[in-house]
Amino acid sequence: MTIRIGDEAPDFTAESTEGTIRFHEWIGDSWAILFSHPKDFTPVCTTELGYMAKLKPEFDKRNTKIVGLSVDPVSDHKAWVGDIAETQGHAVNYPLIGDADLAVAKLYDMIHPNASPGPRTAVDNATVRSVFLIGPDKKVKAMLVYPMSAGRNFDEVLRLLDSLQLNAKHTVATPVNWKPGEDVIIPTSVSDEDAKKKYPQGFKTLKPYLRVVAQPK
């Protein structure tokens, strides 16, 4: 199946390094980030999983759970985490899903639907390099897909999460390269009259369709 922004994130039950995960139940009333990597004991993924462990306190502050996945068994994950802690300086502090039967990878359209389980190389799994940001309503809010050779920018994932959460709370949009604390955009769906009520401190109109205002608190 094809996953699009706004779709309900497919539910699943899978084993992880922290026990059985029933995905929707596990998310609960939190936000969630599901990120996949092609194979355990690979160099780029080692750096990524360590960095996500470093960032976990920031995600915790944002009521966001993080979970990794690869099409390897949980036993491989548990054997690999020592290397991650040793080389990256941060121990994995979130669950890693084992998906050796490719069930979740196929459910989330991360791998060719005809791919078969069994011994697989990282190249065979190159397409499993995705990030899904999911809201408390279990809807997919954003997706990122990277090639196998390029490490992902998880600082950008955090920035994107901040933008999504700001929109969910205040119905505003964020401009190019926005960072938390900077001005935001009033969507065109909000009339000037309503904008004046919502922002009594005022806002700046650059064009009728481009109005900026201080970030709501």
Side-chain angles (χ1 to χ4, degrees), residues 15 59 77 85 88 99 101 114 133 142 146 163 181 198-199 206:
E15 295 306 311
F59 289 110
H77 295 344
Q88 306 306 307
D99 190 35
D101 62 0
N114 295 331
L133 290 87
Y146 276 64
S163 177
K198 189 171 183 178
Y199 305 108
L206 304 177

Side-chain angles (χ1 to χ4, degrees), residues 6-7 12 27 39 48 58 66 71 75 83 92 96 102 117 140 142 144 148 163 171 174 178 200 209 215:
D7 286 350
F12 60 84
I27 294 173
K39 195 164 181 63
E48 291 183 328
E58 293 299 322
I66 57 177
V71 291
S75 57
D83 290 357
V92 172
L96 296 176
L102 314 184
V140 175
L144 301 168
M148 194 166 63
S163 177
T171 319
T174 53
W178 172 86
Y209 57 84
Q215 178 185 318

Side-chain angles (χ1 to χ4, degrees), residues 24 31 39 59 70 82 88 103 128 138 142 156 172 179 187 192-193 195-196 207-208 214:
H24 282 194
W31 290 68
K39 195 164 181 63
F59 289 110
S70 83
Q88 306 306 307
V128 185
K138 315 304 184 288
E156 165 60 12
V172 294
K179 295 181 181 66
D192 279 346
E193 182 179 345
K196 288 173 184 175
K207 291 289 182 181

Side-chain angles (χ1 to χ4, degrees), residues 1 19 27 29-31 42 45 48 56 75 86 88 93 101 104 121 134 148 151 157 166 170 213 216:
M1 62 183 293
I27 294 173
D29 60 359
S30 302
W31 290 68
T42 53
C45 300
E48 291 183 328
K56 186 175 182 295
S75 57
E86 177 188 344
Q88 306 306 307
N93 47 12
D101 62 0
V104 182
T121 68
I134 300 163
M148 194 166 63
V157 174
L166 191 65
H170 297 289
V213 67

Side-chain angles (χ1 to χ4, degrees), residues 13-29:
T13 300
E15 295 306 311
S16 82
T17 52
E18 296 185 6
T20 302
I21 286 182
R22 295 171 179 82
F23 193 48
H24 282 194
E25 180 182 312
W26 177 81
I27 294 173
D29 60 359

Side-chain angles (χ1 to χ4, degrees), residues 98-175:
D99 190 35
D101 62 0
L102 314 184
V104 182
K106 290 182 178 181
L107 193 61
Y108 277 76
D109 195 31
M110 293 188 282
I111 201 165
H112 195 283
N114 295 331
S116 57
R120 300 177 61 82
T121 68
V123 173
D124 293 331
N125 301 331
T127 52
V128 185
R129 201 77 194 292
S130 304
V131 183
F132 296 88
L133 290 87
I134 300 163
D137 59 359
K138 315 304 184 288
K139 299 288 182 64
V140 175
K141 305 301 182 182
M143 299 180 292
L144 301 168
V145 181
Y146 276 64
M148 194 166 63
S149 60
R152 285 167 283 196
N153 185 336
F154 285 119
D155 290 334
E156 165 60 12
V157 174
L158 193 63
R159 188 197 75 92
L160 176 57
L161 175 66
D162 282 335
S163 177
L164 293 170
Q165 291 188 337
L166 191 65
N167 173 265
K169 185 176 181 180
H170 297 289
T171 319
V172 294
T174 53

Side-chain angles (χ1 to χ4, degrees), residues 49-61:
L49 269 68
Y51 196 76
M52 278 299 264
K54 176 183 177 181
L55 281 182
K56 186 175 182 295
E58 293 299 322
F59 289 110
D60 290 342
K61 291 177 188 175

